[in-house]
Amino acid sequence: MFKSHTPFSLLTAALLTAFGTAAAAQSQVSLYGIVDTGFGYMKSKGQAGRVQAVNGANSASRWGLKGQEDLGGGNYVKFILEQGFSTSTGAPQTSGVLFDRDSLLIIGGKWGELGFGRSGSLMGTTGYYGQFPRMGANPMQTNFLDAALIGSLVNSGMLNNSVTYQVSPVKNFTLTAQYSNGINADSEKWSKNNHFYGLSANYKTPTYSLGAIFTVIQYRAAGTYNGADAKDTKNLFLTANKLFGDLRLFASYQHVWNSRNLSGGPNAFYAKDLGFGSAADVKTSKKGFRSDTFVLGANHPLGGGKIFGAFKWNFGKWEGDSYVDGADRNGNRWVASLKYTYPLSKRTLVYAIGNYAKGHGMFEKAEVKATRITTAFGLCHNF
């Protein structure tokens, strides 16, 4: 026996069904970010100390948009647009670039995720694919100058024109492969663009983490610090951390072949800085730096907050051409760091950071940056 339906009830049912289907298909979009600001005292060798504003000392200030849509069958598409900025001036982190930290479109499912666009490299801290934070590699958990991992380690910075594949074949284990068809631009034919290749593996549980990253930068186009025929930069990074009660211990090691710099970000040291000739001269050298860096650290709850400590030691050698007679080709630089954070709420904390860095050998040519005291005191809010 069939029930009768009025035209009104049929129309209402159709509208409700259509509305429900449309709502289910809508992308879930959210706004997020970090605002981090404070002040600090800096004292470099040979210079007077100064007090100044610091931005993003604990965590880089940023804002972003992200969204995801279910495609059915366990598949989805999502986007990430993330922009860094200075809290003191409101200026973008990278001049002339909108969404400088991430500009990604990602399709994923049970088979993994495939991402396209501008991205932080595997060998770094920035963005969705930066592996240092994913592996929990930095015992200081901070972005501040010498305390940051890239304050001593060579990183690969940002990648334009990148493709990244990430998959977790078994529980707690993640593999990530990354390629850039032109780190800055891919306007030339394939053989004339610089390329990036990277692979990382991470096994992570709540109590311990093991990670490895290997990357290659292939030079085919001349840049600010390299010629078009420079030897490939190869970078190997190994890291581990483990929780013992409330104490977490960290250890990492990095070996780099033919790098065009030592350390990274605002801490980068180039051949021109370390006394091997002018920028125009040293960029023509086919070989670059060879370096080894060791990181040891720990953190532990203290007084309602948490205390962090780390010691990083870099040994570097310039294996390229020197245009200065008798230049010291070897050097080492170490950094000792301490940090304390205290939460005011689930989203807001106050922090204090202190570093002492000392450079020897070729680093003495850039002693203003190589040997210094840096401190920061500030407030960090997540939204």
Side-chain angles (χ1 to χ4, degrees), residues 37 41 43 56 81 93 101 109 208 220 228 232 255 265 280 285 316:
T37 190
Y41 173 78
K43 175 67 172 70
L81 302 172
Q93 179 176 281
R101 293 177 57 89
Y208 72 93
R220 294 295 180 266
D232 297 351
H255 181 76
S285 173

Side-chain angles (χ1 to χ4, degrees), residues 31-66:
L31 172 70
Y32 68 93
I34 296 174
V35 182
D36 184 320
T37 190
F39 65 94
Y41 173 78
M42 318 288 174
K43 175 67 172 70
S44 298
K45 186 174 180 180
Q47 291 192 341
R50 63 192 187 277
V51 175
Q52 61 187 65
V54 294
N55 302 287
N58 189 66
S59 298
S61 294
R62 72 199 78 156
W63 68 274
L65 296 168
K66 58 184 177 182

Side-chain angles (χ1 to χ4, degrees), residues 145-148 150-152 262-269 333 335 369 372:
L145 293 176
D146 296 321
I150 64 170
S152 298
L262 296 173
S263 300
N267 271 40
F269 296 88
R333 181 176 184 262
V335 178
K369 186 162 56 175
R372 61 186 181 182

Side-chain angles (χ1 to χ4, degrees), residues 200-338:
S200 75
N202 181 213
Y203 188 84
K204 189 174 185 180
T205 74
T207 56
Y208 72 93
S209 176
L210 300 170
I213 311 170
F214 182 72
T215 65
V216 177
I217 298 176
Q218 186 180 66
Y219 301 101
R220 294 295 180 266
T224 304
Y225 303 106
N226 68 275
D229 59 350
K231 287 185 173 292
D232 297 351
T233 293
K234 299 176 182 178
N235 194 333
L236 172 66
F237 177 71
L238 305 172
T239 186
N241 67 76
K242 191 174 190 315
L243 191 64
F244 297 89
D246 290 331
L247 176 68
R248 189 175 290 273
L249 299 179
F250 300 76
S252 300
Y253 168 73
Q254 182 185 64
H255 181 76
V256 184
W257 301 260
N258 289 311
S259 176
R260 307 313 295 186
N261 57 279
L262 296 173
S263 300
N267 271 40
F269 296 88
Y270 298 95
K272 67 178 182 64
D273 303 322
L274 301 182
F276 301 110
S278 69
D281 286 334
V282 294
K283 69 177 289 183
T284 64
S285 173
K286 291 187 178 182
K287 290 187 176 182
F289 289 102
R290 184 183 181 95
S291 74
D292 296 276
T293 305
F294 302 87
V295 181
L296 294 173
N299 58 53
H300 191 279
L302 178 67
K306 185 175 281 191
I307 190 167
F308 306 76
F311 185 82
K312 302 188 288 293
W313 204 347
N314 171 251
F315 299 85
K317 180 179 181 180
W318 174 248
E319 296 187 325
D321 300 325
S322 176
Y323 297 87
V324 177
D325 293 336
D328 193 341
R329 289 178 170 269
N330 296 276
N332 67 85
R333 181 176 184 262
W334 57 264
V335 178
S337 304
L338 281 174

Side-chain angles (χ1 to χ4, degrees), residues 152-165:
S152 298
L153 299 182
V154 176
N155 74 319
S156 304
M158 299 301 300
L159 303 175
N160 290 337
N161 314 299
S162 71
V163 180
T164 306
Y165 176 66

